[in-house]
């Protein structure tokens, strides 16, 4: 799957805060592991930044998990092999995060 296709797919997703659709220019691809892609998107309307994991299989609609934490992403990217289900499981397990991305990012 081409990066451009992933980006174009992301424009069909709406910002969870204000409902604005993401724009291609606001999608940054962080990396991928086989069918699992990691993206960072920012909303052009409200500037909310969001981390996204998308499972992309040839000929199928991608399955997207949004609102990942940086720690989750990091964990996923270091794993050797994992399935979409594992990502979704871990995501729901770690859902207690307070969602304060600006604090997270400013620690870098
Ligand atoms: Zn927004």
């Amino acid at each position: 799957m081409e990066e451009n296709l992933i980006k174009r797919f992301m424009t069909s997703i709406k910002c969870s805060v204000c409902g604005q659709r993401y724009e291609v220019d606001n999608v940054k691809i962080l990396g991928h592991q086989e069918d699992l892609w990691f993206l960072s998107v920012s909303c052009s309307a409200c500037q909310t930044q969001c981390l996204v994991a998308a499972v992309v299989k040839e000929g199928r609609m991608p399955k997207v998990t949004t609102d990942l934490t940086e720690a989750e992403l990091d964990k996923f990217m270091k794993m050797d092999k994992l399935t979409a289900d594992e990502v979704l499981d871990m995501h729901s397990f770690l859902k207690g995060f307070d969602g304060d991305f600006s604090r997270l990012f400013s620690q870098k």
Side-chain angles (χ1 to χ4, degrees):
M1 179 75 72
E2 299 287 324
E3 294 197 359
N4 280 344
L5 288 176
I6 304 261
K7 288 190 177 181
R8 221 174 308 148
F9 168 73
M10 284 307 297
T11 63
S12 68
I13 306 226
K14 288 179 184 161
C15 170
S16 57
V17 174
C18 71
Q20 170 87 19
R21 281 173 194 268
Y22 294 120
E23 289 169 24
V24 171
D25 289 344
N26 296 329
V27 180
K28 216 196 310 166
I29 292 179
L30 304 174
H32 73 104
Q33 263 197 22
E34 313 215 339
D35 295 335
L36 183 62
W37 289 73
F38 302 102
L39 314 157
S40 160
V41 290
S42 56
C43 175
S44 58
C46 70
Q47 316 302 321
T48 301
Q49 193 153 13
C50 185
L51 297 170
V52 176
V55 181
V56 184
K57 290 239 165 81
E58 206 83 39
R60 277 197 233 163
M61 274 303 278
K63 201 179 191 180
V64 172
T65 305
T66 56
D67 298 332
L68 293 173
T69 67
E70 214 166 84
E72 283 176 277
L73 262 187
D74 215 50
K75 214 178 253 181
F76 294 156
M77 293 181 85
K78 282 178 186 147
M79 282 179 177
D80 284 341
K81 268 222 169 140
L82 75 181
T83 66
D85 286 342
E86 281 169 332
V87 173
L88 296 174
D89 282 354
M90 194 181 302
H91 181 237
S92 37
F93 176 71
L94 293 170
K95 231 175 190 165
F97 177 60
D98 64 5
D100 190 350
F101 284 111
S102 53
R103 185 171 49 79
L104 245 180
F105 287 126
S106 65
Q107 284 173 355
K108 270 199 151 174

